[in-house]
Amino acid sequence: MPVPSVLVCEDYADLSRTAADLVAERLAQKPALNLLAATGNTPMGLYAELVSRRDALDVSRVRVFQLDEYAGVGIEDRRSLLGWLVRSFTAPLGIPEDRIVRLDTAIEPAAACAAFEETLREAGGFDLAILGIGSNGHLGFNEPPSDAGAPTREVTLSAQSVETSAGYWGDAEVPTRALTVGMRELLASREIVLLASGAPKRAIVRRALGGAVTPEVPASFLQEAKRVTAVLDRAAWCGEDEA
Ligand code: PGA
């Protein structure tokens, strides 16, 4: 059974550089990369690092796939996760919006999810998925319980995810429904990079990478995925006694 590789970095800046090295290497190997890119706070340092290396990267053929979005929220809404991805990653890297595959919140959710999956299939699947982990063990908005076969779909957010989202948007109202790329599609990615930073993530990282494989911790299915590298900082990995 595959075991995730763990890269332990000194701190968040080191984590961001290490993950950027990995993404840059994959892009150099395959410029027409199908890249799934999460939002959330954790990958922002990676994206900033890639943007700072822009002149050395060929992104002319990359396709970027969105991981999740609040139901009914369009890109013009300040809470849009796609908007966040565009501002932090694709626009400053010069990737045009027509090379972003989105979860279309303007149409009926089931149709949007089916269209996303179809586009993904036609593109040949994800080459690389950049993921964070929720403190409840979710990947994207695959909330517990989510099994390994869960498709791209509309979901109800857990209380924990609503709370995390509230932290992103200040006092703005947080939607409670969302569209997420499914566990099935994520786990089929040819490679996955899981990012986690800070002591609050330590317990869930341990459960995900070393605990029982269970729908109660969706990220634990990464233990069975093809090629997973967890890029963590020391705080997310070691206890005080182990540091
Ligand atoms: P974070 O979110 O990167 O902001 O910690 C991760 C997640 O909830 O999936």
Side-chain angles (χ1 to χ4, degrees), residues 213-226:
V213 176
T214 165
E216 297 308 322
V217 183
S220 66
F221 289 109
L222 292 174
Q223 294 178 45
E224 298 177 343
K226 279 178 205 134

Side-chain angles (χ1 to χ4, degrees), residues 39-43 84 132-135 138-141 161 164 168 201:
T39 45
N41 288 325
T42 314
W84 195 4
I133 181 171
S135 49
H138 74 196
L139 296 177
F141 282 133
S161 293
T164 303
Y168 302 148
K201 292 284 172 76

Side-chain angles (χ1 to χ4, degrees), residues 137-215:
H138 74 196
L139 296 177
F141 282 133
N142 289 281
E143 306 284 25
S146 285
D147 66 34
T152 299
R153 65 202 187 286
E154 185 181 17
V155 297
T156 298
L157 296 185
S158 66
Q160 253 171 309
S161 293
V162 171
E163 195 184 316
T164 303
S165 292
Y168 302 148
W169 314 122
D171 57 4
E173 191 193 327
V174 178
T176 55
R177 303 276 294 166
L179 276 59
T180 186
V181 174
M183 293 298 293
R184 183 177 66 189
E185 287 67 45
L186 295 179
L187 295 171
S189 180
R190 284 181 275 285
E191 183 170 9
I192 295 172
V193 174
L194 180 76
L195 304 174
S197 170
K201 292 284 172 76
R202 191 183 301 151
I204 195 63
V205 165
R206 283 290 164 114
R207 284 183 72 195
L209 301 183
V213 176
T214 165

